[in-house]
């Protein structure tokens, strides 16, 4: 205090300014030492000082869940989504990938609009970042496209009319085992949105389906007629039986008299 009393005004202002600067710098550094992981994110602790992941006391990289953490100045989180992510192969607005074009097993050109959903495996995040960095989705899209085209080309054209659901399930199975996908993600779902075959073929398929429906209708009508005929016979038999019983009852009543 004696020292401060001996200072003139300019010296006091200098000390105050330096103290304020140090305090402000300390606050800024403390704030910069915190980083957050969003509610739908994983985080890997990364140091910008040496461009490496930060290891824990056991020499491993921790995966952080949602929250705010004190990790130090010059440190950040590499973030990954915890929720399902959709990849579309369509011509809809907002889709980043064109529809898939290939040939069916019987040689017809086919265009498929497909949507799929995946979820990152938490236990594989470190390997994912090590192998593919943060641009992993481009690799996912390429591998998914290859797997879907391979499966799509293994089916005959009529199967896309008759067994679309089953083909979608087979696509899901193939994606779940595809190289470059299986080790990093869980494939949650696959939807075949649209199947486009040559117009002439689609017309022939429609005509075939109409013919099949007409045959089913005719068979149903025949069954209805048969049931009606059998029912009429049963009613006639019942009526005849009732008439006979009534006559017998009347005759017996007359005898009793």
């Amino acid at each position: 205090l004696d020292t401060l009393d001996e200072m003139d005004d300019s010296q006091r202002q200098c000390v105050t300014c330096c103290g304020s600067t140090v305090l402000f710098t300390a606050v800024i550094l403390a704030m910069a030492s915190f980083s957050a992981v969003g509610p739908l994110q994983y985080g890997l602790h990364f140091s910008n000082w040496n461009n490496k992941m930060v290891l824990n006391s056991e020499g491993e990289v921790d995966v952080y869940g949602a929250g705010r953490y004190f990790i130090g100045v010059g440190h950040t989180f590499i973030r990954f989504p915890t929720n399902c992510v959709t990849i579309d192969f369509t011509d809809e607005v907002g889709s980043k990938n064109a529809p898939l074009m290939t040939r069916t097993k019987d040689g017809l050109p086919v265009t498929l609009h497909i949507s799929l959903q995946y979820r990152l495996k938490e236990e594989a995040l470190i390997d994912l970042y090590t192998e593919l960095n943060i641009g992993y989705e481009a690799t996912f899209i390429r591998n998914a496209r290859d797997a879907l085209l391979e499966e799509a080309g293994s089916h005959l054209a009529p199967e896309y009319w008759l067994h679309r659901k089953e083909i979608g399930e087979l696509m899901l199975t193939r994606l779940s085992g595809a190289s470059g996908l299986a080790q990093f993600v869980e494939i949650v779902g696959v939807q075949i949105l649209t199947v486009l075959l040559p117009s002439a073929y689609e017309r022939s398929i429609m005509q075939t389906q109409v013919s099949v429906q007409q045959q089913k209708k005719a068979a149903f009508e025949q069954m209805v007629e048969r049931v009606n005929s059998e029912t009429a016979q049963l009613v006639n038999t019942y009526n005849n039986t009732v008439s006979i019983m009534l006559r017998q009852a009347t005759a017996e009543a007359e005898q009793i008299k």
Side-chain angles (χ1 to χ4, degrees):
L1 294 176
D2 293 339
T3 303
L4 289 174
D5 291 338
E6 295 173 358
M7 294 181 180
D8 56 26
D9 290 342
S10 62
Q11 289 175 322
R12 290 194 186 95
Q13 290 177 357
C14 181
V15 171
T16 301
C17 182
C18 290
S20 298
T21 301
V22 170
L23 178 62
F24 179 75
T25 302
V27 171
I28 294 298
L29 290 176
M31 293 176 62
S33 297
F34 284 91
S35 188
V37 178
L40 295 177
Q41 292 179 327
Y42 297 116
L44 298 182
H45 188 180
F46 184 82
S47 172
N48 291 316
W49 299 111
N50 57 13
N51 290 325
K52 292 181 179 180
M53 290 294 175
V54 177
L55 305 180
N56 59 25
S57 58
E58 298 177 355
E60 299 177 348
V61 178
D62 290 324
V63 178
Y64 289 75
R68 190 171 184 83
Y69 302 92
F70 183 86
I71 57 176
V73 177
H75 290 235
T76 188
F77 284 116
I78 305 297
R79 298 173 179 84
F80 300 88
T82 63
N83 56 310
C84 289
V85 180
T86 296
I87 296 177
D88 289 323
F89 296 96
T90 71
D91 56 7
E92 298 292 331
V93 176
S95 176
K96 300 178 182 179
N97 309 292
L100 303 177
M101 302 177 66
T102 185
R103 287 187 175 275
T104 62
K105 190 174 181 179
D106 43 354
L108 290 175
V110 60
T111 300
L112 299 172
H113 295 237
I114 296 177
S115 180
L116 66 92
Q117 296 76 41
Y118 72 85
R119 184 185 294 113
L120 295 176
K121 295 179 179 178
E122 180 180 354
E123 66 275 12
L125 290 178
I126 299 168
D127 291 337
L128 174 64
Y129 182 78
T130 301
E131 293 186 28
L132 302 177
N133 209 286
I134 59 174
Y136 57 85
E137 187 159 277
T139 301
F140 288 177
I141 291 172
R142 183 174 63 253
N143 292 335
R145 180 186 291 110
D146 292 343
L148 290 170
L149 287 173
E150 186 175 358
E151 183 62 40
S154 66
H155 298 280
L156 300 171
E159 295 179 43
Y160 285 100
W161 281 79
L162 302 173
H163 306 296
R164 181 181 296 192
K165 180 181 178 181
E166 290 80 359
I167 293 176
E169 292 171 351
L170 290 171
M171 287 180 172
L172 174 62
T173 300
R174 187 176 290 267
L175 285 169
S176 298
S179 175
L181 285 174
Q183 60 266 50
F184 302 125
V185 304
E186 173 194 0
I187 303 298
V188 179
V190 177
Q191 301 82 41
I192 302 177
L193 305 176
T194 306
V195 178
L196 298 177
L197 291 160
S199 299
Y201 180 79
E202 288 194 345
R203 285 195 298 270
S204 68
I205 287 292
M206 291 180 64
Q207 291 172 356
T208 300
Q209 292 300 311
V210 169
S211 176
V212 169
Q213 293 301 318
Q214 289 175 342
Q215 291 174 5
K216 289 183 178 179
K217 180 182 177 182
F220 179 75
E221 290 174 347
Q222 290 177 357
M223 182 182 68
V224 170
E225 290 179 0
R226 184 174 65 253
V227 170
N228 288 337
S229 175
E230 292 174 353
T231 301
Q233 291 177 3
L234 290 173
V235 170
N236 290 334
T237 301
Y238 173 79
N239 290 334
N240 291 335
T241 302
V242 170
S243 297
I244 293 171
M245 292 177 67
L246 286 173
R247 287 197 297 270
Q248 290 177 346
T250 302
E252 292 175 356
E254 290 294 332
Q255 290 177 358
I256 292 173
K257 288 180 180 180

